[in-house]
Amino acid sequence: MIEAKGVSLRYPDGTVALKDINLHIKPGEMVYITGPSGSGKTSLLKLLLGIEFPTFGSLKVMDKSMVRSRKGRINKLRRRIGPVFQEFKLIEGRTALENVMIGMRFLGKSPRKIKEEAINALKRVGLEEKIYSKVENLSWGQQQRVAIARAVARKPALILADEPTGNLDYDNAINILKLLNSFKDSNTTVIITTHATHLIEGQKDVTYIHVNNGSITVEREELAV
Amino acid sequence: MKTFFYNIGYFMKEAWRTIRMNFLSNFFSIIGTGLILFLLGLVTVGTIIGNQFITKLSQEAEISAYFVEDMGVDAAKELVSEIQNIQGVWNAKLIDEMQACAMMEDMLGEEAKILELFEDNPFKAFIEIRIDLDAMETVLSQVASLEGIDYVRDNRAVLKQLQSIIRGVEVVGYLITLAVGITTLILLSHMIRQGIYNNREQINTLRLLGAPGSFIGFPYVLVGVLLTLLGGGLAIALLILLIDGGYPKISGTIPFLPLPSQTLLIQQSATLIVTVSVILGVLGSLFGLSSIGKDNR
C-alpha cells in the first residue's frame, strides 16, 4: 500500500519537515500518526496525497511512485484516496449531499448511483436528517461528518484523515475515531494523524507512527489472540 | 466521455451559479460584448452590401465603341456582329444618334433641358457592348483593333475606384474583427479569472479529490460561451432593429443601389456573429482557465 525508503522533505524556505523516513504500510492497516504540533505529521500526509513530493528517497503509494511528474497521474491516484482535511474543505452554499456527491462526479458513475451512494454515506455517518442542509448551517462536528462521508462515499483504498479530533470534545472525538475505524477493512487502509495520544492509547491491531522533529518510530500493536 | 455526459446537468448548474455569483459584472460584460459584436455586425453588413454592389456592377460592365464617321448603317451592323463573336462579349447593340440623345436625357433627368441649347443632336451613334468584367482587357484590345472603330470608351476607372472602396471597407472590417476579437478575449478571460478566483476554494478541493482539469474547467468554458452568446444575441437584436429601420430608407434614397434581401443579410450576419461568439467564448475561457492547474495543490 505505502512504501517509503529514505524519504526526506525539505520545503523551499529550507525547513526540513521529514528526515530519512522508512515505512511500510500494508493494505487494510489502521494507522495513527502521532506527534506534537509541527512535528511533521501533516507533511507526511501531504506526501501521501501528492501535495508535496520527497526531496530525497523514494515513496510509493498504491504502487505509484510519488514523483513530481504529470498531474494526470497524481489525479488518478487521488481518486482512490479519501481525504478528510483538518479544515474539512467543504463547499459553502451547497447541501451536505451536494458536497458528498461532488467528490464522486468524476469517477464514472451515473448520477443516480452517485446520489444513492452519497445518501448511504451520509446515513452511515449519522447525518440522514441533514442531507439537504447547507453545510454552513451545520455544527462543527456535523461538518466533520460530512467531510468523512465525502471521503468514504468514494469507496477509497486509502482514507487519510488529518487531525479529525482537533476541535472536538472528548466524547465527539472518540465517536469520530470509532467511525473512522469502522471503515477499515481488508481493502481499505485508514491513516489518521492526531496529537491527542490519550484518545488512541491501548488499541489493538493498529500501527502507531510517532513523528518527532521529522523522524519517525513505528510501533505495531498486534490483535490479542 | 461517459463521465462528461453524466455531468452535463452539473456543469450547467455550476456555470449558472458562477454567473449569478458575479451577476452585475457579468451583466455589464454581456452588454460590452454585445456592443463590440454589434460593431462587427455593422462591418459585415457593409461588406455584404458592398460586395453585392460590385458584383452587380461587374455583371453590367459596359463599354462603348465609336466608329468612324463615314461608316454606313450596314457596315456598322456588320461590325456589331463581328464584335458579338469576340469571346467575353455578352451582348452588342447599335445605338443610333437619336437613341444616344434619349439615353442622355434619361440620365440627366430634370437637367436634360440643357440639351435644348444645342441646335443639332450633339451625340454620335455607337455600339453598346456588355462584357464580362474579367475579360475586359482582351475585349477592349480586340474591339479597338477592328477596322472601322475610331475609339473605345470604358468605365474601368469607376469600377476600379469602387473596388478599392470595397477593399478599404474589407480592410477596416478585418481590423475591426481583430479589435473585437482581442477586446472580447481580454474582457472574457478577465471575467473567467474572476470566477475562478471567487471559486478558488472549491477548485482547490476538487483538485485534492483528484478531479481532472477538464471537469474543473468545463463549467467556466460554458460560462464564457454563454456570456459571448448572450452578447451575440444582443448584437443580432440591435442589428435587426437597424436593418429593419434603415433598409427602406436606403432603398428609397438610393434606388439604383442593388441591396441584398433583408432576410439573407440578417441570416448571414447572425450566423457570423454566433460563430464568432462561440469561438471567442471558448478561446476567452481557455485563456482565463490557463490560471488553473499551475500546481498540484
Side-chain angles (χ1 to χ4, degrees):
Chain A
M1 170 60 67
I2 293 166
E3 194 164 352
K5 285 182 185 163
V7 168
S8 296
L9 173 65
R10 182 200 291 260
Y11 286 112
D13 66 356
T15 312
V16 178
L18 295 168
K19 288 179 279 195
D20 196 27
I21 304 286
N22 290 294
L23 188 61
H24 180 77
I25 296 172
K26 296 191 293 276
E29 270 192 76
M30 175 77 207
V31 181
Y32 288 109
I33 302 175
T34 63
S37 295
S39 58
K41 303 187 295 292
T42 302
S43 293
L44 188 52
L45 281 200
K46 281 182 175 174
L47 284 179
L48 300 180
L49 198 53
I51 298 173
E52 299 292 346
F53 297 91
T55 319
F56 300 107
S58 77
L59 173 67
K60 278 186 175 180
V61 178
M62 289 182 261
D63 292 329
K64 302 276 181 236
S65 267
M66 302 301 278
V67 285
R68 201 181 291 276
S69 61
R70 287 173 49 219
K71 264 188 301 181
R73 258 189 55 184
I74 298 294
N75 269 350
K76 277 186 188 160
L77 178 72
R78 283 176 179 172
R79 279 172 226 161
R80 298 170 63 196
I81 298 175
V84 182
F85 304 104
Q86 197 171 354
E87 67 282 25
F88 313 147
K89 291 192 186 294
L90 297 176
I91 302 164
E92 288 196 4
R94 316 291 172 92
T95 63
L97 180 62
E98 284 169 331
N99 265 281
V100 177
M101 284 172 72
I102 207 167
M104 305 164 74
R105 289 193 181 276
F106 38 86
L107 302 179
K109 294 178 179 175
S110 71
R112 197 180 51 82
K113 187 91 179 143
I114 289 173
K115 191 170 181 182
E116 193 184 297
E117 289 180 1
I119 289 175
N120 284 341
L122 283 164
K123 281 182 180 165
R124 192 155 173 204
V125 298
L127 285 178
E128 54 267 60
E129 303 289 315
K130 303 287 180 185
I131 286 174
Y132 298 105
S133 300
K134 294 264 167 74
V135 286
E136 60 270 29
N137 298 332
L138 300 178
S139 70
W140 186 268
Q142 287 168 332
Q143 287 188 26
Q144 185 155 51
R145 283 169 188 272
V146 175
I148 292 171
R150 183 179 62 190
V152 299
R154 291 147 57 94
K155 299 198 168 48
L158 173 64
I159 294 173
L160 296 176
D162 191 12
E163 295 281 3
T165 56
N167 289 296
L168 300 177
D169 57 49
Y170 182 83
D171 288 343
N172 274 317
I174 289 289
N175 286 336
I176 286 290
L177 288 178
K178 276 184 186 162
L179 180 65
L180 283 167
N181 230 314
S182 71
F183 294 112
K184 186 203 83 167
D185 60 32
S186 56
N187 296 316
T188 309
T189 305
V190 180
I191 300 178
I192 299 170
T193 69
T194 181
H195 64 272
T197 44
H198 62 285
L199 295 172
I200 54 170
E201 273 167 359
Q203 289 192 32
K204 295 293 172 193
D205 196 21
V206 296
T207 302
Y208 295 104
I209 298 173
H210 304 289
V211 188
N212 201 1
N213 259 337
S215 301
I216 65 164
T217 49
V218 179
E219 184 188 324
R220 285 200 160 84
E221 293 292 336
E222 303 296 336
L223 189 65
V225 180
Chain B
M1 209 57 184
K2 193 173 67 178
T3 307
F4 175 82
F5 286 114
Y6 281 156
N7 284 307
I8 283 180
Y10 163 79
F11 290 144
M12 295 192 11
K13 257 171 127 176
E14 281 298 297
W16 177 235
R17 204 184 57 81
T18 307
I19 290 176
R20 261 191 343 197
M21 193 182 262
N22 227 334
F23 188 74
L24 212 57
S25 302
N26 284 316
F27 175 74
F28 285 121
S29 90
I30 289 170
I31 303 280
T33 314
L35 292 177
I36 292 167
L37 288 170
F38 174 60
L39 261 182
L40 177 71
L42 284 182
V43 174
T44 311
V45 166
T47 311
I48 293 172
I49 292 177
N51 279 334
Q52 161 111 349
F53 191 44
I54 280 286
T55 312
K56 285 271 180 194
L57 278 178
S58 305
Q59 281 167 355
E60 286 170 14
E62 266 179 18
I63 56 172
S64 309
Y66 289 84
F67 41 84
V68 288
E69 275 187 22
D70 56 349
M71 186 179 279
V73 177
D74 289 341
K77 281 184 180 165
E78 212 168 292
L79 200 55
V80 168
S81 26
E82 251 183 275
I83 291 171
Q84 198 101 51
N85 290 331
I86 295 174
Q87 203 173 358
V89 171
W90 286 342
N91 185 29
K93 198 166 78 178
L94 181 63
I95 306 289
D96 63 24
E97 291 88 340
M98 295 303 289
Q99 285 171 316
C101 184
M103 281 165 78
M104 185 50 81
E105 278 175 359
D106 274 355
M107 276 173 71
L108 292 174
E110 283 182 9
E111 304 296 319
K113 279 182 281 180
I114 199 166
L115 295 175
E116 290 167 10
L117 297 173
F118 295 92
E119 281 181 17
D120 298 321
N121 181 358
F123 298 101
K124 284 167 66 178
F126 66 95
I127 301 166
E128 185 187 85
I129 311 164
R130 285 188 61 222
I131 59 163
D132 175 3
L133 190 68
D134 294 335
M136 183 182 256
E137 295 295 333
T138 340
V139 175
L140 276 174
S141 65
Q142 285 192 49
V143 171
S145 65
L146 287 174
E147 202 177 332
I149 292 292
D150 190 9
Y151 68 95
V152 182
R153 207 177 66 192
D154 61 73
N155 55 356
R156 267 185 301 183
V158 179
L159 279 170
K160 275 188 179 156
Q161 264 185 338
L162 273 170
Q163 266 172 335
S164 64
I165 290 171
I166 297 297
R167 238 173 260 136
V169 171
E170 273 177 359
V171 170
V172 172
Y174 291 137
L175 290 177
I176 290 185
T177 310
L178 192 71
V180 165
I182 292 171
T183 315
T184 312
L185 286 183
I186 292 172
L187 196 72
L188 202 66
S189 56
H190 173 71
M191 291 312 301
I192 299 295
R193 273 169 198 270
Q194 205 172 346
I196 289 167
Y197 181 78
N198 291 339
N199 289 323
R200 61 194 182 283
E201 294 293 332
Q202 178 182 338
I203 290 170
N204 189 34
T205 303
L206 282 171
R207 211 186 269 143
L208 289 172
L209 291 171
S214 54
F215 179 86
I216 298 173
F218 193 74
Y220 296 98
V221 175
L222 269 184
V223 169
V225 173
L226 211 62
L227 291 183
T228 46
L229 271 181
L230 288 172
L234 178 69
I236 292 169
L238 289 174
L239 211 58
I240 290 173
L241 277 179
L242 187 82
I243 292 173
D244 273 348
Y247 235 56
K249 280 181 192 158
I250 296 176
S251 43
T253 40
I254 324 170
F256 63 84
L257 190 69
L259 292 174
S261 105
Q262 205 170 322
T263 324
L264 189 77
L265 191 66
I266 290 173
Q267 269 176 1
Q268 286 184 342
S269 321
T271 309
L272 180 90
I273 290 175
V274 169
T275 312
V276 169
S277 302
V278 173
I279 293 171
L280 289 179
V282 172
L283 287 179
S285 316
L286 292 179
F287 279 135
L289 278 172
S290 58
S291 58
I292 291 191
K294 282 191 177 143
D295 60 58
N296 263 331
R297 280 145 224 251

